[in-house]
Amino acid sequence: MTLHMKVGSAAADAAAVLGRLGVAETLWTGGCRPVRSPVTGEIIAHVHDTPAIGVAQAVDRAHAAFLNWRSVPAPRRGELVRLFGEELRAAKADLGALVTLEAGKVTSESLGEVQEMIDICDYAVGLSRQLFGLTIATERPDHRMMETWHPLGVVGIISAFNFPVAVWSWNAALALVCGDTCVWKPSEKTPLTALAVQALFERAVARFGDAPAGLSTVVIGGRDVGEALVDHPKVPLVSATGSTAMGRAVGPRLAGRFARALLELGGNNAAIVAPSADLDLALRGVAFAAMGTAGQRCTTLRRLFVHESLYDAFLPRLKAAYASVKVGDPREARTLVGPLIDRAGFDLMQQALSDARAAGGTITGGERVEVAEGADYVRPALVEMPAQAEVVRRETFAPILYVISYRDLEAAIALQNDVPQGLSSSIFTNDMREAELFISARGSDCGIANVNIGPSGAEIGGAFGGEKETGGGREAGSDSWRAYMRRATNTLNYGATLPLAQGVTFDV
Ligand code: NAD
């Protein structure tokens, strides 16, 4: 293969790291599905697709495991997650390196993604001793009413390429302590990181000792494999992360068989820079949120509303930041922006820039950066728009930041909310009235609304997800665990009479 010699081979790095992570060579060689590294464009592995029968077998095994696992005390289930967290700590550098090779993230972000897995494991271990229900006052004498939370069953997890491992862990760590079992279909673009996580999970299972076989399984493939999981009657919950188009297909299928859907879909996130903002802080917040992960986060900042009084002072500083970021090999320490995932991502970006230009936008950046032949590196684009045109209202999964000037805060909030998606948002202001308005019922309509930080980079302690076409699901912290359990309301009579509720009499 003739590569631009600015970057070293990804294939050699991948082989070495897969070996260290204990992924059997037979799993990533000899299969029909090529795995391409966005870092160099090389094919770094050939994995085996799971046939439909294999998906059914994985679900059957997970269901059989569930029948055992649901009776294991929750704190003991937490012990398995604790051991898995230890495996992740030991393998953090290698798993992070594999995330970089397969998804193209810069090293510090890949390590951050693995750290997020560790964090959710720690959280889930604590949670395993805190799964609780309420006791509720009853109207009947000598009665007690309460709710209990029980394990749900097999959780199907479908994940996107851009968080190839963390999204699974948000779901799996909680599901496992809740007494569920998991079958995971990772993105077809990132199967190697999933196989590596599975290898680490199996190490934890071996140390745990008496876990049932099939607690968590990976199935590999494209949309058809996802559909087999979505349609399986023994999967009561599917947590699906990806585009809104995927959610539009998956949601109704799950509703058709009355299964639960936890949908984490596209975003079109915004920030407002208000007159009282600390501009140094706003600049750093905007730069990371808009250019980090090469614009390929669901929470990436895509729309910036700048108050007209600051516009002429702030925009030159932002343009200078855009011109200065190093775009290049994500394995190099100084690189801040790695590659786009593939040529299709590059083409969508160029299409959006062309649409923006046609709608009156003025573009800075957005051009191809030659790093490796066959790979798609771009300079992030800043697009000054006269209005929120159609192209601004759709999610383009690439580093494009549309900038619009505003005069009135309430009008800016209305514009921010006037998109189909509802994931993340933020305001930079030192005016407490503006900050409070922004997070009030009349403010941002998103699942995440921040003040003086950008819209991306959430912590696992809070519930993560968004409204409208983002799908409405919530994962990770707060009370998200409830989605992975079923609730039973119990009324107990410890008296000798049988009073009926609402004063009903029925004497026989
Ligand atoms: P994608 O929709 O192309 O694929 C996501 C996953 O869904 C893949 O595993 C894919 O194989 C599977 N899939 C696709 N169609 C399916 C179907 N009909 N039935 C079952 N499975 C199906 O998304 P992507 O390109 O991998 O990721 C980028 C998108 O994901 C962006 O829109 C981004 O905003 C979104 N995303 C959202 C979140 C969130 O938490 N809200 C997180 C990460 C990514």
Side-chain angles (χ1 to χ4, degrees), residues 12-208:
D13 284 5
V17 83
L18 284 164
R20 288 200 296 277
L21 286 164
V23 183
E25 204 171 325
T26 49
L27 293 177
W28 56 275
T29 54
C32 292
R33 183 175 288 279
V35 183
R36 176 186 165 278
S37 170
V39 178
T40 60
E42 287 165 274
I43 301 301
I44 56 174
H46 283 89
V47 295
H48 305 264
D49 271 9
T50 309
I53 182 85
V55 178
Q57 283 165 351
V59 173
D60 286 343
R61 252 161 43 100
H63 183 72
F66 165 71
L67 297 179
N68 171 313
W69 191 240
R70 66 182 174 181
S71 300
V72 174
R76 175 76 184 137
R77 300 193 295 244
E79 172 62 6
L80 172 62
V81 175
R82 192 188 69 76
L83 293 171
F84 177 56
E86 283 187 356
E87 296 296 336
L88 287 171
R89 282 180 165 85
K92 182 174 171 181
D94 281 331
L95 187 55
L98 194 58
V99 169
T100 292
L101 291 167
E102 201 180 34
K105 290 190 181 193
V106 297
T107 299
S108 93
E109 290 195 48
S110 295
L111 292 173
E113 176 158 0
V114 182
Q115 184 58 47
E116 197 168 359
M117 301 177 80
I118 295 166
D119 294 344
I120 196 76
C121 284
D122 288 354
Y123 173 84
V125 174
L127 181 68
S128 71
R129 291 182 183 270
Q130 295 182 20
L131 301 170
F132 60 85
L134 300 173
T135 301
I136 301 149
T138 98
E139 64 189 58
R140 288 171 277 190
D142 297 339
H143 280 57
R144 184 158 70 88
M145 183 158 60
M146 62 179 191
E147 59 184 24
T148 45
W149 291 83
H150 298 297
L152 186 64
V154 180
V155 178
I157 301 166
I158 295 174
S159 58
F161 79 83
N162 66 318
F163 272 89
V165 288
V167 163
W168 170 82
S169 70
W170 290 359
N171 288 281
L174 263 58
L176 287 166
V177 300
C178 288
D180 301 331
T181 57
C182 306
V183 178
W184 176 20
K185 195 211 86 66
S187 165
E188 53 273 51
K189 295 172 188 171
T190 55
L192 297 179
T193 39
L195 292 172
V197 167
Q198 182 69 16
L200 296 174
F201 183 72
E202 281 165 12
R203 279 187 206 170
V205 167
R207 287 169 62 204
F208 183 76

Side-chain angles (χ1 to χ4, degrees), residues 352-361 363 385 389 391:
L353 291 177
S354 151
D355 293 351
R357 194 177 290 110
I363 301 169
M385 293 296 293
V391 63

Side-chain angles (χ1 to χ4, degrees), residues 158-163 167 170 185-189 221-223 225-227 230 241-246 249-250 253 263-267 297-299 302 395 397 423 464-465 470 475:
I158 295 174
S159 58
F161 79 83
N162 66 318
F163 272 89
V167 163
W170 290 359
K185 195 211 86 66
S187 165
E188 53 273 51
K189 295 172 188 171
R223 182 190 176 123
V225 173
E227 286 171 353
V230 165
T241 299
S243 58
T244 294
M246 178 276 285
V250 163
R253 282 176 99 114
L263 299 178
E264 299 280 354
L265 310 175
R297 282 191 188 220
C298 53
T299 52
R302 308 197 182 282
E395 180 196 48
F397 211 57
L423 181 51
F464 181 89
T470 303
E475 288 175 344

Side-chain angles (χ1 to χ4, degrees), residues 247-326:
R248 231 183 267 292
V250 163
R253 282 176 99 114
L254 290 167
R257 64 176 182 88
F258 299 100
R260 291 187 195 175
L262 200 168
L263 299 178
E264 299 280 354
L265 310 175
N268 191 357
N269 317 294
I272 294 172
V273 182
S276 66
D278 175 334
L279 290 191
D280 292 339
L281 192 140
L283 186 70
R284 294 214 321 274
V286 167
F288 169 67
M291 292 188 282
T293 329
Q296 298 168 116
R297 282 191 188 220
C298 53
T299 52
T300 288
L301 174 59
R302 308 197 182 282
R303 298 176 296 137
L304 183 66
F305 300 102
V306 182
H307 192 264
E308 60 181 13
S309 64
L310 315 166
Y311 196 89
D312 290 340
F314 191 64
L315 257 284
R317 294 186 64 188
L318 195 55
K319 282 184 187 168
Y322 265 65
S324 73
V325 290
K326 182 170 172 354

Side-chain angles (χ1 to χ4, degrees), residues 268-269 271 286 290-291 301-306 311 314-316 318-320 322-323 348-367 378-394 396 398-405:
N268 191 357
N269 317 294
V286 167
M291 292 188 282
L301 174 59
R302 308 197 182 282
R303 298 176 296 137
L304 183 66
F305 300 102
V306 182
Y311 196 89
F314 191 64
L315 257 284
L318 195 55
K319 282 184 187 168
Y322 265 65
L348 281 172
M349 177 172 178
Q350 298 309 314
Q351 181 61 53
L353 291 177
S354 151
D355 293 351
R357 194 177 290 110
T362 307
I363 301 169
T364 309
E367 67 277 6
V378 285
R379 180 150 295 282
L382 204 57
V383 185
E384 294 177 71
M385 293 296 293
Q388 185 157 271
E390 187 279 331
V391 63
V392 181
R393 297 181 75 249
R394 70 176 193 246
T396 299
I400 302 177
L401 179 62
Y402 301 106
V403 190
I404 297 173
S405 151

